[in-house]
Amino acid sequence: MLSVISYPVMIVSIILALVLSISLFPVDWFQFRPEWLGVIVFYWTFRAPAQFGILAAWCLGLLLDVLESTPLGVNGLAMAVVAFLVLTIHQRLRMFPIPQQAAILFLLLGINQMIVHFIKQMLGGDEAGFSYLWPALTGALVWPLVCPILDTLNRKLG
């Protein structure tokens, strides 16, 4: 458990996640891009539940909606659900090793992607199939890299 939270690290990681979420990516690999904002919402809700919660996740989801020009509230709802689920299990999550945390992250990002996909399907704007789950898998695969880096930065700068 981190005792001191570095707000500059939090802000820079959120900005970086938003930039990576809308950055140019090869068209063939676009569906494999990790859900960067979901990973960062998971991290900060997990590491700093008193400072980062459902409201912050919802606001960041709304900002992502604006940046991606998706219907307003789609990502906001999905990120708020992820933050809520992390808050309900964050005490137990601290006991898990990083591979198990990555598995939980995959499940939560999968829920996030399913909510976004369902709403887009209802609005008639998304394709059928399960390819929408690739960002959840790649997000879980980058977790073993993201978590130690943010922990180290937070510890040194906090």
Side-chain angles (χ1 to χ4, degrees):
M1 181 174 164
L2 299 171
S3 58
V4 178
I5 301 303
S6 173
Y7 287 102
V9 172
M10 181 186 288
I11 291 167
V12 168
S13 67
I14 289 169
I15 292 170
L16 186 62
L18 288 168
V19 167
L20 288 172
S21 293
I22 61 167
S23 65
L24 295 176
F25 212 70
V27 176
D28 296 336
W29 291 87
F30 188 74
Q31 69 181 0
F32 301 108
R33 182 179 61 187
E35 180 62 44
W36 291 109
L37 189 61
V39 172
I40 295 301
V41 165
F42 179 86
Y43 178 82
W44 288 111
T45 309
F46 167 55
R47 291 292 190 218
Q51 291 84 7
F52 193 96
I54 298 170
L55 181 62
W58 179 72
C59 290
L60 289 174
L62 285 180
L63 184 57
L64 186 62
D65 284 333
V66 170
L67 291 173
E68 290 182 342
S69 65
T70 57
L72 198 59
V74 173
N75 284 306
L77 172 66
M79 291 297 165
V81 168
V82 168
F84 171 75
L85 293 173
V86 172
L87 285 172
T88 60
I89 62 168
H90 82 275
Q91 291 294 343
R92 280 179 268 161
L93 202 54
R94 294 183 192 283
M95 297 183 295
F96 295 157
I98 286 185
Q100 279 184 307
Q101 290 174 4
I104 299 289
L105 178 62
F106 170 70
L107 292 173
L108 294 177
L109 289 179
I111 291 169
N112 173 27
Q113 294 298 97
M114 285 180 195
I115 291 170
V116 169
H117 181 73
F118 176 74
I119 294 172
K120 285 182 178 179
Q121 280 278 329
M122 296 301 288
L123 296 174
D126 214 3
E127 61 204 41
F130 289 102
S131 62
Y132 64 89
L133 288 175
W134 282 113
L137 180 63
T138 56
L141 291 175
V142 299
W143 177 251
L145 301 172
V146 171
C147 184
I149 290 170
L150 286 176
D151 282 347
T152 302
L153 287 172
N154 202 26
R155 201 172 305 116
K156 290 187 183 212
L157 300 174

